[in-house]
Every structure is written in structure tokens, then in C-alpha cells.
Amino acid sequence: MRPVVSAWLAVPVIAAILGGCATYHALPLDNGRGPQRVADITVAASSLPTPELRAHTFDPSNGLDVTEVAMLAIANDPQLKVERDKAGVAHAQAYAAGLLPDPQLSYEHDRPAADSPQGTTTAYTAGLTFDLGNLITRSARVKSARAGAEEIDLNLLWSEWQAIAEARTLFDRVYFLRERVERLEHERAALAPLQVAVTRALHSGDLTYEVAGAGLSAAADAASQLGDTRRQLNLAEHDLHNLLGLDATLPLHLTGAPFAVDTNEGEVRRALADMARRRPDLLALEAGYRAQDEKLRAAILAQFPAISVSFVKARDNGNISSNGLSVSLSLPLFDGNRGNIATERATRQQLHDEYSARLLTDRNDVQKLLRDLQSDRAQHATLATHAAQLAEARDAAETNYAAGRLDWPTYLAIRANSL
């Protein structure tokens, strides 16, 4: 009856083991075209990384303003989706690092030959082995994996910050390039009658090519600038489609004013003071350093002898049964994990120095950007005043040319300067 009872006991054990196994599910590839209508896209406020975005209502039915473009970039950017998948892998690795090793079950069966002596019985040896060495390094490995997952999460958050900045930049670029295209189309339309008149006078012999060159060049310059600007606009819209995860055939209806921020020196100084405590990329480097520090700790712990314990039950051919305990351990005489320890220690030093170098470089970069911003503001004020004066001169020239009080070469020169 014992074999039957053992078999019945084995059934629920095997069922429990198989019940915990993972199953396979196919994941077919899609066509990669993305949403076909912006109105079909929804953005969950809880998934957004900043309070400003979470407080904004996403309603693409009336066009996308600069904040909605940033929200859509966070929710639908294909590269951010890949970054989130990497974060999922890191968390799975952290989960795997905390799992205990499975025990090993062994069984040997030794059946007597036909010519064996009378009374010989079947022999067997059953053993259950546990690797205790894995438990020694488990705590350090788990801490390292969790710090590594935190590093990935912080890098993802930094990528989301970058996506917000890129979305605002591309919105502004498209906004101003569209304005410039409209301005150049107006300029080309304004110059068209004059170009027709100059061409007619040239063909009739009333003008020489030397005199007519200014009129022909003005229209050609406007057309050339218009072509260049349209190519720049096409590139900016292409980049914005990619960032938003939208098909290139989907029209971008942008609405509202461009993004603008007026940063002062005091705000920059305060941001610099706690930059290392709030910027995700620097916090990610810090988490990566902690992960490496725990790897070094695990390597040091792994130099101790690896211990395995086995519980053995056996019966020999003479029908003598026995119960035993087997212990095995490695002798760290030659390797002793010294190579891995040296590698992990050198890697930790490298990450330590990389963090210090990155922090110094970023602080200096912010200082440089602040000085550039101050210089640009001063230059912008001067250029804005000059542009306004040239616009007034163009309007006056247009009135005087229409009244016949201004010759057309001077009129074209004033228009070109204003443009």
C-alpha cells in the first residue's frame, strides 16, 4: 500500500508546482501607424509627471495648445513607451533578485541484475539539497536590484521632463514658422505686381538688366526664403508628429499662444542650490551608485565558502536503509571571488567620479545659460526696437511708392531690410 499512498501524495504536490507555472500568450506586432484621429486620444491625468500638467484639462476637440501637446507627448511618445518597458524589465529583475533558490531533488534507482544472490533487493538514493550560499548575498543583491530599478524610474522621469521641454520647443517652432510662411507669402504677393511690371519693361526695352536686377532679385529672394521656411516647417511638423506618436498624415491643429517663461537670476540661484536633490537625472546617477555599492557588498560576501546542505535517504541492495546529511562547501584558495571584488570596486569608483563630474558640468552649464539668456534679452530688446522702426519705414515707403513719390529700387531696398 505504501507506493500507492506515496503516489497519491505526489499528485497534489505536482499539481501545486504546475499551478504556479507561467503560461505563454502571443503578442502580435501592430502596424505602427498610431492613432488616426487626435480626438480619439485620451490622456490620464494621473500618468503625468508634473502638477501643472495634471491640473490641465486635455480636450483636443478644439485643437492642441502648448500644454496639451506636452501632455500628449508624455502619454503617446513611442520612445517613452520603450523607456517604460525598460522600467518594467528593471522591476522584474528586482523581483527576481528577491526570490529564494529552488531546492534540488535527486533520486537514483538501482535494480539488481537477474543473476544477483538470493535476498538482494532494489536499491535507491533520494536526496534534497539546499544552496545556503545564496542566502548570504541575498540582502545585498536585493538592495542593488531595487536601487537599479529606482535608477531606471528616475531616468524615465527625466526623459518625461525632456519630452515636455521638446514638446514646448517644437510647438513654438511650428507656431513661429507658420507665422513666417504666412508673412513671406504676403511679401511674395506684394512683390508680384512689381515683378510683372519690371519683366514687362525689361522685355520692351524700357529697362536694362542692370537696372531691372534689383526688382527681379527681390521677388526671387522672397520666394527662396519662403521655400527654405516651408522646408523648416515640414521638418518641425515631422519631428512633432514623431514625438506625439501620430501618423504623418494626421493634421496638427495647434491653438493658443506659444510657450514662454521669464526666468530671473534669483530663481536660477535657488534651483542650483537644490539641483542635486530634485533633478531626476542626478538622482538616477545617485541611485545607480547605490546599486553598484550593493554589488560590491555582494561580491565581498560571496568570497566566503559556498555552503550546500543535502538530506539523503537511501537503501542498498542488502535491504539496509539509512538516513544521512551531506554538507559541501567551496574552499576559496585560488579564486576567492577576488577578481569580481576588484571589478565591482573599480566600477563603484568610476560611478563616484562620474557623478561628481556631471554635477560640476551641469552647474557650470546652468551658469553659462543664465549669462547667455541675459545677453539674449538685451539683444532682443535692441532688435525689437530696430525691427519696429524698419516696419514703420516699410509702411511709409509703401504709401509713398503707391503715390508715386518714391522710386521702386529704393522701395524694394526698404522692403528687403524690413523683411
Side-chain angles (χ1 to χ4, degrees), residues 363-413:
R363 289 185 186 279
N364 290 342
D365 286 347
V366 172
Q367 297 283 5
K368 176 183 178 297
L369 288 172
L370 178 60
R371 291 192 295 270
D372 289 345
L373 181 59
Q374 293 168 343
S375 176
D376 289 343
R377 282 172 174 167
Q379 186 179 14
H380 178 270
T382 302
L383 291 176
T385 302
H386 185 53
Q389 293 171 345
L390 291 176
E392 291 177 0
R394 180 202 62 219
D395 294 340
E398 194 168 1
T399 301
N400 288 315
Y401 176 73
R405 295 189 295 268
L406 188 67
D407 62 277
W408 62 266
T410 304
Y411 168 60
L412 289 179

Short mmCIF file of all heavy atoms in Angstrom, two decimals, residues 363-413:
data_model
loop_
_atom_site.label_atom_id
_atom_site.label_comp_id
_atom_site.label_asym_id
_atom_site.label_seq_id
_atom_site.Cartn_x
_atom_site.Cartn_y
_atom_site.Cartn_z
N ARG A 363 26.21 72.34 -13.23
CA ARG A 363 26.18 73.64 -12.57
C ARG A 363 26.80 74.72 -13.46
O ARG A 363 26.25 75.82 -13.60
CB ARG A 363 26.93 73.57 -11.24
CG ARG A 363 26.22 72.76 -10.16
CD ARG A 363 26.98 72.85 -8.85
NE ARG A 363 26.42 71.97 -7.84
CZ ARG A 363 25.35 72.26 -7.10
NH1 ARG A 363 24.72 73.41 -7.28
NH2 ARG A 363 24.91 71.41 -6.20
N ASN A 364 27.94 74.40 -14.08
CA ASN A 364 28.58 75.37 -14.97
C ASN A 364 27.73 75.65 -16.21
O ASN A 364 27.68 76.79 -16.69
CB ASN A 364 29.96 74.86 -15.38
CG ASN A 364 30.96 74.88 -14.23
OD1 ASN A 364 30.74 75.56 -13.23
ND2 ASN A 364 32.04 74.14 -14.36
N ASP A 365 27.07 74.62 -16.72
CA ASP A 365 26.21 74.82 -17.89
C ASP A 365 25.04 75.75 -17.57
O ASP A 365 24.67 76.60 -18.39
CB ASP A 365 25.67 73.47 -18.38
CG ASP A 365 26.73 72.65 -19.11
OD1 ASP A 365 27.79 73.22 -19.45
OD2 ASP A 365 26.51 71.44 -19.33
N VAL A 366 24.45 75.58 -16.39
CA VAL A 366 23.34 76.46 -15.99
C VAL A 366 23.82 77.91 -15.87
O VAL A 366 23.14 78.85 -16.30
CB VAL A 366 22.72 75.96 -14.68
CG1 VAL A 366 21.70 76.98 -14.15
CG2 VAL A 366 22.05 74.62 -14.88
N GLN A 367 25.01 78.08 -15.30
CA GLN A 367 25.56 79.43 -15.19
C GLN A 367 25.78 80.04 -16.57
O GLN A 367 25.49 81.23 -16.80
CB GLN A 367 26.89 79.40 -14.41
CG GLN A 367 26.76 78.93 -12.97
CD GLN A 367 26.20 79.99 -12.05
OE1 GLN A 367 25.81 81.07 -12.49
NE2 GLN A 367 26.15 79.69 -10.76
N LYS A 368 26.28 79.25 -17.50
CA LYS A 368 26.51 79.75 -18.86
C LYS A 368 25.19 80.11 -19.53
O LYS A 368 25.06 81.15 -20.19
CB LYS A 368 27.25 78.69 -19.69
CG LYS A 368 27.43 79.07 -21.15
CD LYS A 368 28.09 77.97 -21.94
CE LYS A 368 28.22 78.36 -23.42
NZ LYS A 368 26.90 78.56 -24.05
N LEU A 369 24.17 79.24 -19.37
CA LEU A 369 22.88 79.51 -19.97
C LEU A 369 22.26 80.78 -19.39
O LEU A 369 21.60 81.55 -20.10
CB LEU A 369 21.94 78.33 -19.74
CG LEU A 369 22.25 77.07 -20.55
CD1 LEU A 369 21.38 75.91 -20.10
CD2 LEU A 369 22.04 77.33 -22.04
N LEU A 370 22.47 81.02 -18.09
CA LEU A 370 21.94 82.24 -17.47
C LEU A 370 22.60 83.47 -18.08
O LEU A 370 21.92 84.46 -18.40
CB LEU A 370 22.17 82.19 -15.97
CG LEU A 370 21.72 83.43 -15.19
CD1 LEU A 370 20.22 83.67 -15.37
CD2 LEU A 370 22.06 83.28 -13.71
N ARG A 371 23.92 83.43 -18.28
CA ARG A 371 24.60 84.58 -18.90
C ARG A 371 24.16 84.75 -20.35
O ARG A 371 23.96 85.89 -20.82
CB ARG A 371 26.12 84.37 -18.82
CG ARG A 371 26.67 84.46 -17.39
CD ARG A 371 28.19 84.55 -17.40
NE ARG A 371 28.80 83.32 -17.91
CZ ARG A 371 29.14 82.29 -17.15
NH1 ARG A 371 28.92 82.32 -15.85
NH2 ARG A 371 29.70 81.22 -17.69
N ASP A 372 23.99 83.63 -21.07
CA ASP A 372 23.51 83.72 -22.45
C ASP A 372 22.11 84.33 -22.50
O ASP A 372 21.80 85.13 -23.39
CB ASP A 372 23.50 82.33 -23.10
CG ASP A 372 24.89 81.80 -23.38
OD1 ASP A 372 25.84 82.61 -23.35
OD2 ASP A 372 25.04 80.59 -23.61
N LEU A 373 21.27 83.92 -21.56
CA LEU A 373 19.91 84.44 -21.52
C LEU A 373 19.89 85.95 -21.27
O LEU A 373 19.14 86.69 -21.91
CB LEU A 373 19.11 83.72 -20.43
CG LEU A 373 17.65 84.12 -20.26
CD1 LEU A 373 16.87 83.89 -21.54
CD2 LEU A 373 17.02 83.36 -19.10
N GLN A 374 20.73 86.40 -20.35
CA GLN A 374 20.80 87.83 -20.08
C GLN A 374 21.28 88.60 -21.31
O GLN A 374 20.75 89.67 -21.64
CB GLN A 374 21.74 88.07 -18.89
CG GLN A 374 21.21 87.54 -17.57
CD GLN A 374 22.25 87.52 -16.47
OE1 GLN A 374 23.45 87.62 -16.74
NE2 GLN A 374 21.81 87.40 -15.22
N SER A 375 22.26 88.05 -22.01
CA SER A 375 22.75 88.68 -23.23
C SER A 375 21.69 88.70 -24.33
O SER A 375 21.50 89.71 -25.02
CB SER A 375 24.01 87.95 -23.72
OG SER A 375 24.46 88.48 -24.95
N ASP A 376 20.96 87.58 -24.45
CA ASP A 376 19.92 87.49 -25.48
C ASP A 376 18.78 88.48 -25.21
O ASP A 376 18.22 89.06 -26.14
CB ASP A 376 19.36 86.06 -25.54
CG ASP A 376 20.37 85.09 -26.14
OD1 ASP A 376 21.32 85.55 -26.78
OD2 ASP A 376 20.17 83.87 -25.98
N ARG A 377 18.45 88.64 -23.93
CA ARG A 377 17.38 89.58 -23.60
C ARG A 377 17.76 91.01 -23.99
O ARG A 377 16.93 91.75 -24.54
CB ARG A 377 17.08 89.52 -22.10
CG ARG A 377 16.24 88.32 -21.69
CD ARG A 377 16.13 88.19 -20.19
NE ARG A 377 15.22 87.12 -19.80
CZ ARG A 377 15.13 86.64 -18.57
NH1 ARG A 377 15.90 87.14 -17.61
NH2 ARG A 377 14.28 85.68 -18.29
N ALA A 378 19.01 91.37 -23.72
CA ALA A 378 19.45 92.72 -24.09
C ALA A 378 19.46 92.89 -25.61
O ALA A 378 19.03 93.92 -26.14
CB ALA A 378 20.85 92.97 -23.52
N GLN A 379 19.92 91.85 -26.32
CA GLN A 379 19.96 91.92 -27.78
C GLN A 379 18.54 91.93 -28.35
O GLN A 379 18.26 92.63 -29.33
CB GLN A 379 20.75 90.74 -28.33
CG GLN A 379 20.96 90.81 -29.83
CD GLN A 379 21.78 89.64 -30.35
OE1 GLN A 379 21.96 88.65 -29.64
NE2 GLN A 379 22.26 89.75 -31.57
N HIS A 380 17.65 91.16 -27.75
CA HIS A 380 16.27 91.10 -28.24
C HIS A 380 15.59 92.46 -28.14
O HIS A 380 14.87 92.89 -29.07
CB HIS A 380 15.48 90.07 -27.43
CG HIS A 380 14.03 89.98 -27.82
ND1 HIS A 380 13.05 90.74 -27.23
CD2 HIS A 380 13.41 89.21 -28.77
CE1 HIS A 380 11.88 90.46 -27.79
NE2 HIS A 380 12.06 89.53 -28.72
N ALA A 381 15.81 93.17 -27.05
CA ALA A 381 15.20 94.49 -26.90
C ALA A 381 15.68 95.45 -27.99
O ALA A 381 14.89 96.20 -28.58
CB ALA A 381 15.53 95.06 -25.51
N THR A 382 16.97 95.40 -28.29
CA THR A 382 17.53 96.27 -29.34
C THR A 382 16.97 95.90 -30.71
O THR A 382 16.57 96.78 -31.49
CB THR A 382 19.07 96.15 -29.35
OG1 THR A 382 19.58 96.51 -28.06
CG2 THR A 382 19.66 97.06 -30.41
N LEU A 383 16.94 94.58 -31.01
CA LEU A 383 16.45 94.14 -32.31
C LEU A 383 14.96 94.42 -32.48
O LEU A 383 14.50 94.75 -33.59
CB LEU A 383 16.73 92.65 -32.49
CG LEU A 383 18.21 92.25 -32.64
CD1 LEU A 383 18.36 90.74 -32.71
CD2 LEU A 383 18.80 92.88 -33.89
N ALA A 384 14.19 94.25 -31.40
CA ALA A 384 12.76 94.52 -31.49
C ALA A 384 12.49 95.99 -31.82
O ALA A 384 11.63 96.32 -32.64
CB ALA A 384 12.08 94.13 -30.18
N THR A 385 13.24 96.87 -31.19
CA THR A 385 13.10 98.31 -31.48
C THR A 385 13.48 98.60 -32.93
O THR A 385 12.78 99.34 -33.64
CB THR A 385 13.98 99.13 -30.52
OG1 THR A 385 13.59 98.84 -29.17
CG2 THR A 385 13.83 100.62 -30.79
N HIS A 386 14.57 98.01 -33.37
CA HIS A 386 15.02 98.23 -34.75
C HIS A 386 14.02 97.67 -35.75
O HIS A 386 13.72 98.30 -36.79
CB HIS A 386 16.38 97.58 -34.94
CG HIS A 386 17.02 97.85 -36.27
ND1 HIS A 386 17.19 99.12 -36.78
CD2 HIS A 386 17.51 97.00 -37.21
CE1 HIS A 386 17.77 99.05 -37.97
NE2 HIS A 386 17.97 97.77 -38.26
N ALA A 387 13.48 96.49 -35.47
CA ALA A 387 12.51 95.89 -36.38
C ALA A 387 11.25 96.74 -36.47
O ALA A 387 10.66 96.89 -37.56
CB ALA A 387 12.17 94.47 -35.90
N ALA A 388 10.81 97.30 -35.35
CA ALA A 388 9.63 98.16 -35.37
C ALA A 388 9.88 99.41 -36.21
O ALA A 388 9.00 99.87 -36.96
CB ALA A 388 9.25 98.54 -33.94
N GLN A 389 11.08 99.96 -36.12
CA GLN A 389 11.41 101.14 -36.93
C GLN A 389 11.43 100.79 -38.42
O GLN A 389 10.93 101.56 -39.26
CB GLN A 389 12.77 101.68 -36.50
CG GLN A 389 12.79 102.26 -35.09
CD GLN A 389 14.19 102.59 -34.61
OE1 GLN A 389 15.17 102.13 -35.20
NE2 GLN A 389 14.28 103.36 -33.52
N LEU A 390 11.97 99.62 -38.75
CA LEU A 390 12.00 99.19 -40.16
C LEU A 390 10.60 98.92 -40.67
O LEU A 390 10.29 99.18 -41.85
CB LEU A 390 12.87 97.94 -40.31
CG LEU A 390 14.38 98.14 -40.10
CD1 LEU A 390 15.11 96.81 -40.18
CD2 LEU A 390 14.94 99.11 -41.14
N ALA A 391 9.72 98.38 -39.82
CA ALA A 391 8.34 98.14 -40.24
C ALA A 391 7.62 99.46 -40.53
O ALA A 391 6.85 99.58 -41.50
CB ALA A 391 7.60 97.35 -39.16
N GLU A 392 7.86 100.47 -39.69
CA GLU A 392 7.27 101.79 -39.94
C GLU A 392 7.80 102.37 -41.25
O GLU A 392 7.05 102.98 -42.04
CB GLU A 392 7.59 102.73 -38.78
CG GLU A 392 6.89 102.37 -37.48
CD GLU A 392 7.29 103.29 -36.33
OE1 GLU A 392 8.11 104.20 -36.57
OE2 GLU A 392 6.79 103.09 -35.20
N ALA A 393 9.12 102.18 -41.49
CA ALA A 393 9.69 102.68 -42.75
C ALA A 393 9.10 101.96 -43.95
O ALA A 393 8.84 102.59 -45.00
CB ALA A 393 11.22 102.49 -42.71
N ARG A 394 8.85 100.65 -43.82
CA ARG A 394 8.24 99.90 -44.93
C ARG A 394 6.84 100.40 -45.22
O ARG A 394 6.45 100.58 -46.39
CB ARG A 394 8.21 98.41 -44.56
CG ARG A 394 7.59 97.53 -45.66
CD ARG A 394 7.10 96.22 -45.08
NE ARG A 394 6.05 96.46 -44.10
CZ ARG A 394 5.92 95.78 -42.96
NH1 ARG A 394 6.80 94.84 -42.63
NH2 ARG A 394 4.93 96.05 -42.14
N ASP A 395 6.05 100.62 -44.15
CA ASP A 395 4.67 101.10 -44.36
C ASP A 395 4.68 102.48 -45.03
O ASP A 395 3.87 102.76 -45.94
CB ASP A 395 3.94 101.16 -43.02
CG ASP A 395 3.73 99.78 -42.40
OD1 ASP A 395 3.81 98.79 -43.16
OD2 ASP A 395 3.51 99.70 -41.17
N ALA A 396 5.59 103.34 -44.58
CA ALA A 396 5.68 104.67 -45.19
C ALA A 396 6.14 104.57 -46.65
O ALA A 396 5.63 105.29 -47.53
CB ALA A 396 6.65 105.55 -44.39
N ALA A 397 7.10 103.68 -46.92
CA ALA A 397 7.58 103.51 -48.30
C ALA A 397 6.47 102.98 -49.20
O ALA A 397 6.35 103.38 -50.37
CB ALA A 397 8.78 102.55 -48.30
N GLU A 398 5.66 102.08 -48.66
CA GLU A 398 4.57 101.52 -49.45
C GLU A 398 3.57 102.61 -49.83
O GLU A 398 3.10 102.69 -50.98
CB GLU A 398 3.87 100.41 -48.64
CG GLU A 398 2.95 99.54 -49.47
CD GLU A 398 2.51 98.29 -48.71
OE1 GLU A 398 2.93 98.12 -47.55
OE2 GLU A 398 1.77 97.49 -49.30
N THR A 399 3.27 103.49 -48.88
CA THR A 399 2.35 104.60 -49.16
C THR A 399 2.94 105.57 -50.18
O THR A 399 2.27 105.99 -51.14
CB THR A 399 2.03 105.34 -47.85
OG1 THR A 399 1.45 104.43 -46.92
CG2 THR A 399 1.07 106.50 -48.11
N ASN A 400 4.20 105.93 -50.01
CA ASN A 400 4.85 106.88 -50.91
C ASN A 400 5.05 106.27 -52.30
O ASN A 400 4.94 106.98 -53.32
CB ASN A 400 6.20 107.32 -50.35
CG ASN A 400 6.04 108.25 -49.16
OD1 ASN A 400 5.23 109.17 -49.20
ND2 ASN A 400 6.80 108.03 -48.09
N TYR A 401 5.36 104.95 -52.38
CA TYR A 401 5.53 104.32 -53.69
C TYR A 401 4.20 104.29 -54.44
O TYR A 401 4.15 104.55 -55.66
CB TYR A 401 6.07 102.91 -53.52
CG TYR A 401 6.19 102.16 -54.83
CD1 TYR A 401 7.18 102.48 -55.75
CD2 TYR A 401 5.29 101.14 -55.14
CE1 TYR A 401 7.27 101.79 -56.96
CE2 TYR A 401 5.38 100.45 -56.33
CZ TYR A 401 6.37 100.77 -57.24
OH TYR A 401 6.46 100.10 -58.42
N ALA A 402 3.11 103.99 -53.71
CA ALA A 402 1.79 103.96 -54.36
C ALA A 402 1.38 105.35 -54.85
O ALA A 402 0.69 105.48 -55.86
CB ALA A 402 0.75 103.42 -53.37
N ALA A 403 1.85 106.40 -54.14
CA ALA A 403 1.52 107.78 -54.54
C ALA A 403 2.48 108.32 -55.58
O ALA A 403 2.34 109.47 -56.02
CB ALA A 403 1.52 108.68 -53.31
N GLY A 404 3.50 107.53 -55.96
CA GLY A 404 4.45 107.96 -56.97
C GLY A 404 5.54 108.86 -56.46
O GLY A 404 6.24 109.50 -57.25
N ARG A 405 5.70 108.95 -55.13
CA ARG A 405 6.71 109.82 -54.56
C ARG A 405 8.03 109.10 -54.26
O ARG A 405 8.95 109.71 -53.74
CB ARG A 405 6.17 110.46 -53.26
CG ARG A 405 4.99 111.38 -53.47
CD ARG A 405 4.66 112.14 -52.19
NE ARG A 405 4.21 111.22 -51.14
CZ ARG A 405 2.93 110.90 -50.93
NH1 ARG A 405 1.99 111.43 -51.72
NH2 ARG A 405 2.59 110.10 -49.96
N LEU A 406 8.12 107.80 -54.58
CA LEU A 406 9.32 107.02 -54.26
C LEU A 406 9.62 106.09 -55.42
O LEU A 406 8.71 105.45 -55.98
CB LEU A 406 9.09 106.20 -52.97
CG LEU A 406 10.29 105.47 -52.39
CD1 LEU A 406 11.33 106.49 -51.88
CD2 LEU A 406 9.85 104.55 -51.25
N ASP A 407 10.90 106.05 -55.82
CA ASP A 407 11.28 105.16 -56.93
C ASP A 407 11.29 103.71 -56.43
O ASP A 407 11.50 103.43 -55.26
CB ASP A 407 12.65 105.55 -57.49
CG ASP A 407 13.74 105.42 -56.45
OD1 ASP A 407 13.91 106.37 -55.63
OD2 ASP A 407 14.40 104.36 -56.39
N TRP A 408 11.09 102.78 -57.38
CA TRP A 408 10.91 101.38 -56.97
C TRP A 408 12.19 100.73 -56.46
O TRP A 408 12.12 99.87 -55.57
CB TRP A 408 10.28 100.56 -58.10
CG TRP A 408 11.08 100.46 -59.38
CD1 TRP A 408 10.97 101.25 -60.48
CD2 TRP A 408 12.08 99.50 -59.67
NE1 TRP A 408 11.84 100.87 -61.45
CE2 TRP A 408 12.54 99.77 -60.97
CE3 TRP A 408 12.65 98.43 -58.99
CZ2 TRP A 408 13.54 99.02 -61.60
CZ3 TRP A 408 13.63 97.68 -59.61
CH2 TRP A 408 14.08 97.98 -60.90
N PRO A 409 13.43 101.07 -56.93
CA PRO A 409 14.61 100.43 -56.30
C PRO A 409 14.74 100.77 -54.82
O PRO A 409 15.07 99.91 -54.00
CB PRO A 409 15.77 100.99 -57.12
CG PRO A 409 15.17 101.33 -58.45
CD PRO A 409 13.81 101.86 -58.12
N THR A 410 14.46 102.06 -54.46
CA THR A 410 14.53 102.45 -53.05
C THR A 410 13.43 101.74 -52.25
O THR A 410 13.65 101.27 -51.12
CB THR A 410 14.40 103.97 -52.90
OG1 THR A 410 15.41 104.62 -53.69
CG2 THR A 410 14.53 104.38 -51.45
N TYR A 411 12.24 101.66 -52.87
CA TYR A 411 11.12 100.99 -52.22
C TYR A 411 11.46 99.52 -51.94
O TYR A 411 11.20 99.01 -50.84
CB TYR A 411 9.90 101.11 -53.13
CG TYR A 411 8.74 100.24 -52.74
CD1 TYR A 411 8.13 100.36 -51.49
CD2 TYR A 411 8.24 99.28 -53.63
CE1 TYR A 411 7.05 99.56 -51.15
CE2 TYR A 411 7.17 98.47 -53.29
CZ TYR A 411 6.58 98.61 -52.04
OH TYR A 411 5.53 97.81 -51.69
N LEU A 412 12.06 98.84 -52.90
CA LEU A 412 12.42 97.43 -52.72
C LEU A 412 13.50 97.26 -51.65
O LEU A 412 13.48 96.30 -50.88
CB LEU A 412 12.89 96.84 -54.04
CG LEU A 412 11.81 96.62 -55.11
CD1 LEU A 412 12.42 96.05 -56.37
CD2 LEU A 412 10.71 95.69 -54.59
N ALA A 413 14.44 98.18 -51.63
CA ALA A 413 15.51 98.09 -50.62
C ALA A 413 14.93 98.23 -49.22
O ALA A 413 15.33 97.50 -48.29
CB ALA A 413 16.56 99.17 -50.88
#
